[in-house]
Each structure stands twice: as C-alpha cells, then as structure tokens.
Amino acid sequence: MTTLFHNLAAWVVAWAHTPYASVALALLAFAESSFFPIPPDVLLISLALIQPRHSFAYAIVCTAFSVLGGMVGYAIGRYGGRPLLERFMSSAKIHAVESYYRRYDVWAVGLAGFTPIPYKVFTISAGTFLLDFKRFILASFVGRGGRFFLVAALFYFFGEPIADFVNKSLNMLSVAFAALLVGGFALIHRLSKRYGQGSARPHSERIREP
C-alpha cells in the first residue's frame, strides 16, 4: 500500500513538468475532495516551486476545484447515506466525525479542510449528516483556501529556500493555524456573548437620570 501511494504521488508530481500542469492540479483538487487519496498540496508545492510568481493563481485553481469536488462528496454522502460512509470508515471514525459536527457544526469542515485530516471524509459525512449546504460551501472555501493560500504565500515571498521547510512543516503549520482560528472564533464568541448580556440589561440600569 505504501509503494502504491508513493507511486501515485510521483505520478502526480510528474504533471508539474508538463503543459497540462494547471489542468492536472484542477482535476486532482476536485478528485481528492471525494475519492482520490493524494492531496493536491503535492502538485501545488511542485508548481509553486517551479513558478513562484504564479503561486496565488495556482492556489485559486486549487481552492475552487477542491470546493467543487467537496460538493460532489457532499452529494455522495447525502444520497449514498451512512451505509456508504461505513464502507470507507470505521465506526469509531464515523462517531468521531459526528461528534465534531455536533460541537462545531459546518466549521468542522473548515478546520478539516485546513488540516492534514482527509478532506473527503468530511465532505461525504457532511452530506450524510445533512449539514446546511450553503454554510458547508462557505466553510470549505475558508478551510481549503486558507491551506492553499498559505502554501502560495510562502513560495511567493520566499521562493526555493522555503521548499524544504514547507515539505517538512506544512502539516504542523496548518494545525497551528487551525488552532489559532479556533481560538479566535472562541474569543469572538465569548466577547459577543458578553456584549450581548450587557446590552440586554434594562435601559433604566444602563442610563441613570441626572
């Protein structure tokens, strides 16, 4: 299985040196969101390394087609149902994903899209658990776009010297950034809740007559 995965990855990277590299990136990003095992980062990094000036254009292609593929994954889950999900995932993983949805709703998709967790697991399960489709799309753009544009920015501003660091540390950076996102959302939620409680006090308590 490891050899097969390695050969697939090598085949994907080889497309970076062809005139059809952008098309290959689009198809890979689309397929990985629902069934293909190789993440598009592999080809995105290769292309950004070869042409750093085009990094953001590649990130746009990668994000757009990844989200389109996520829509297909959502449809697979919605119409294939839980039995289909059980063919690809253990009951423990399904339970874990379901608990993420109960806690974070569609933002579990956004976080998964940014982290090393296989995105297809969350797109298919999002359809299975009938998450709101529009919010699912929004969360997908945030998560996938955040990850791909992070790669693009690193290569655009630092070029080839950053290649080894990105290859070794991308997953770690993604997880760290996702943690910051969660912390930011939690802080905003807490502040808005506190502000809401303050605004809910009776008008007579907040404004005293002179």
Side-chain angles (χ1 to χ4, degrees):
M1 184 61 71
T2 303
T3 302
L4 176 61
F5 189 86
H6 177 77
N7 290 339
L8 275 174
W11 175 74
V12 166
V13 170
W15 282 98
H17 303 281
T18 72
Y20 309 103
S22 295
V23 176
L25 179 64
L27 293 175
L28 174 62
F30 181 88
E32 188 271 339
S33 296
S34 55
F35 65 89
F36 198 68
I38 305 297
D41 310 69
V42 174
L43 185 53
L44 176 61
I45 289 172
S46 298
L47 290 172
L49 179 60
I50 294 171
Q51 294 183 302
R53 284 189 168 186
H54 297 164
S55 296
F56 288 111
Y58 293 134
I60 291 172
V61 170
C62 212
T63 301
F65 280 88
S66 183
V67 174
L68 285 173
M71 295 180 190
V72 174
Y74 184 98
I76 291 172
R78 182 178 178 86
Y79 298 107
R82 197 180 185 104
L84 179 62
L85 194 63
E86 290 173 347
R87 293 186 59 183
F88 300 99
M89 297 173 59
S90 66
S91 58
K93 287 184 178 179
I94 293 174
H95 179 72
V97 171
E98 192 169 9
S99 67
Y100 286 141
Y101 283 139
R102 287 175 182 170
R103 185 171 183 179
Y104 300 113
D105 192 47
V106 294
W107 293 111
V109 177
L111 292 174
F114 200 89
T115 64
I117 302 172
Y119 182 50
K120 65 184 71 62
V121 171
F122 282 81
T123 63
I124 295 174
S125 57
T128 301
F129 302 135
L130 302 177
L131 269 68
D132 181 81
F133 184 69
K134 291 181 179 179
R135 295 174 66 203
F136 162 78
I137 297 302
L138 175 61
S140 295
F141 268 113
V142 171
R144 299 308 268 174
R147 182 177 175 90
F148 300 143
F149 274 86
L150 172 62
V151 172
L154 289 173
F155 279 99
Y156 184 86
F157 291 109
F158 299 103
E160 187 174 350
I162 202 72
D164 287 340
F165 175 75
V166 171
N167 282 320
K168 294 177 181 177
S169 307
L170 176 60
N171 287 338
M172 180 186 69
L173 288 172
S174 298
V175 171
F177 194 83
L180 289 174
L181 281 178
V182 172
F185 285 138
L187 179 61
I188 292 171
H189 176 72
R190 179 172 295 183
L191 290 175
S192 63
K193 189 174 181 181
R194 180 178 297 178
Y195 176 79
Q197 289 175 345
S199 300
R201 286 183 302 171
H203 185 72
S204 59
E205 293 183 12
R206 287 184 281 119
I207 302 178
R208 296 181 178 180
E209 294 292 337

